[in-house]
Amino acid sequence: MIYFQGDDFKAKKWCSFFKENTTHFKTLKDLISLFKQVKSGDKIFFRYQNNPENFLSSLMILMVLILIILKFRYLKADVYWICHNVDLDTSPYHKRIEKLRRTLLKYTAKHIFVLHHSFIKYIKRENVTAITFGKKTGGSFSEWNLTQIAEHSKKFDKTILIAGQDGGKYKHFDRIQEIYDAFRSVGIIVGFVLIGANSNRQYPKALKTNILLITEKNISEVSINSYIDYIYRENNDISIPYTIYAAASASIPIIVNEDNCLYEVVKESDIGGSLNDVILSQDSEPYKFDEFLAKHNWMSLYDFFNK
């Protein structure tokens, strides 16, 4: 049996290749049930170590995690950690408990997986391997939003999509003026399509006509790749946002901050670059989206166990 944290699309994609039965767990109740069921030879994959807001619930999760690890070790069952966020998790709650959970997994997991080979150096232990996400499929846009995006893109030399969460570690919406100024300095006027920005976010008055705000839950980047020239993304932690894969799947170059860990990822794979990179190149060299997706696929976790 494989026990796998989360039932999101990433968890399901990774698990779809395993022949063993898989149980997905999310809640404290799930963890307690798992503790009762585990048998020798089972595998468990932990992922995010975010805490809920309630302190007692966070403390209980830590205690159950300790018990599960002790039982797995006693039964000679295997504990693994897919470390999505190398430096810290996203939730702001009870960071000391989060640190204890992360430290516990760091020193007890049989193997740790990170999401890019350049992140291995941050995990100070042996048995660390890089795995990857894979090609994005699915998603959609309403006909109204598609029409809005198409009409908006006609007004500008280049159009940039910024989509995702706003605030906290997510910094992409903060860069709108900087991006505009960088392109304007070489005579290129850019428009923006924003999806996910906070409703109370303020924009420079001079740029309001350059900005199209869209509401859409699960977008399909490939359906707008004839209107979008670039996608911009920036996190301030050491992690790989799925936006990287969504952009490559739609053959849209991605722009990242040169001081961010994502810069090494996109430059190494030739799927984008910094603001200066894309402005200077103006796409004179072909991007290698197909090569990136061929090397980075959902079978990477399965392949580790079936070499």
Side-chain angles (χ1 to χ4, degrees):
M1 174 69 76
I2 291 176
Y3 297 97
F4 204 96
Q5 184 182 351
D7 64 352
D8 53 288
F9 78 96
K10 297 172 187 173
K12 291 176 180 178
K13 286 281 191 181
W14 274 323
C15 291
S16 64
F17 301 99
F18 288 101
K19 295 179 175 59
E20 299 100 316
N21 291 329
T22 302
T23 295
H24 295 273
F25 64 92
K26 293 194 300 182
T27 65
L28 177 58
K29 183 179 179 181
D30 293 338
L31 283 172
I32 294 171
S33 176
L34 182 161
F35 176 76
K36 297 175 182 177
Q37 296 171 20
V38 63
K39 297 179 177 64
S40 178
D42 289 345
K43 298 184 182 76
I44 187 167
F45 291 85
F46 289 101
R47 295 167 67 204
Y48 305 102
Q49 295 304 304
N50 292 303
N51 280 312
E53 186 173 1
N54 183 276
F55 175 76
L56 290 178
S57 295
S58 299
L59 195 59
M60 182 67 74
I61 292 171
L62 172 63
M63 293 169 65
V64 174
L65 175 63
I66 293 170
L67 291 174
I68 287 173
I69 290 173
L70 288 173
K71 186 170 184 180
F72 265 75
R73 291 173 74 89
Y74 173 74
L75 293 174
K76 294 182 170 55
D78 294 331
V79 175
Y80 300 94
W81 183 24
I82 300 176
C83 185
H84 285 259
N85 307 76
V86 171
D87 49 350
L88 73 167
D89 279 273
T90 304
S91 168
Y93 304 118
H94 315 301
K95 302 305 281 188
R96 289 185 179 180
I97 294 178
E98 175 196 302
K99 186 175 180 180
L100 285 172
R101 288 167 60 184
R102 291 172 63 91
T103 301
L104 184 63
L105 288 170
K106 178 178 178 180
Y107 291 107
T108 61
K110 181 176 182 179
H111 210 97
I112 295 176
F113 301 97
V114 293
L115 293 173
H116 191 262
H117 66 82
S118 66
F119 296 171
I120 292 175
K121 61 180 176 285
Y122 298 108
I123 309 292
K124 308 297 185 182
R125 57 158 279 177
E126 297 180 345
N127 298 326
V128 183
T129 299
I131 59 172
T132 70
F133 300 137
K135 186 174 183 177
K136 180 178 179 178
T137 57
S140 63
F141 276 99
S142 68
E143 287 298 322
W144 169 254
N145 281 340
L146 280 175
T147 301
Q148 291 282 92
I149 293 169
E151 291 301 314
H152 188 68
S153 69
K154 293 176 183 177
K155 303 173 186 176
F156 307 100
D157 301 321
K158 300 285 184 182
T159 305
I160 297 173
L161 171 67
I162 305 178
Q165 297 184 58
D166 189 358
K169 73 174 188 178
Y170 306 103
K171 303 300 179 184
H172 25 267
F173 292 107
D174 296 334
R175 304 297 188 191
I176 291 172
Q177 183 71 62
E178 182 181 335
I179 296 167
Y180 177 84
D181 291 342
F183 278 97
R184 181 65 183 272
S185 69
V186 293
I188 298 172
I189 304 302
V190 296
F192 298 91
V193 176
L194 307 184
I195 304 174
N198 288 335
S199 57
N200 60 354
R201 176 172 283 276
Q202 299 296 311
Y203 304 98
K205 288 183 179 179
L207 293 185
K208 285 193 174 181
T209 57
N210 296 65
I211 293 172
L212 174 66
L213 296 171
I214 292 289
T215 300
E216 197 81 61
K217 286 189 176 179
N218 180 23
I219 67 174
S220 167
E221 288 84 355
V222 71
S223 67
I224 57 171
N225 63 1
S226 57
Y227 312 125
I228 300 297
D229 297 284
Y230 302 103
I231 292 175
Y232 185 84
R233 180 70 184 211
E234 183 181 343
N235 298 356
N236 70 351
D237 65 349
I238 304 171
S239 65
I240 298 289
Y242 192 57
T243 303
I244 299 288
Y245 288 81
S249 301
S251 299
I252 302 173
I254 189 153
I255 302 175
V256 298
N257 191 306
E258 197 164 343
D259 297 327
N260 190 267
C261 68
L262 297 181
Y263 182 67
E264 180 178 348
V265 176
V266 300
K267 284 296 288 181
E268 173 188 273
S269 302
D270 288 331
I271 57 172
S274 67
L275 269 174
N276 286 335
D277 292 333
V278 299
I279 289 171
L280 290 173
S281 71
Q282 286 300 293
D283 308 334
S284 58
E285 295 294 327
Y287 294 102
K288 298 178 180 178
F289 304 117
D290 291 340
E291 292 92 332
F292 173 78
L293 293 170
K295 293 178 181 177
H296 301 74
N297 59 74
W298 291 111
M299 287 190 70
S300 57
L301 182 60
Y302 172 83
D303 286 343
F304 173 82
F305 293 95
N306 294 274
K307 296 176 182 177

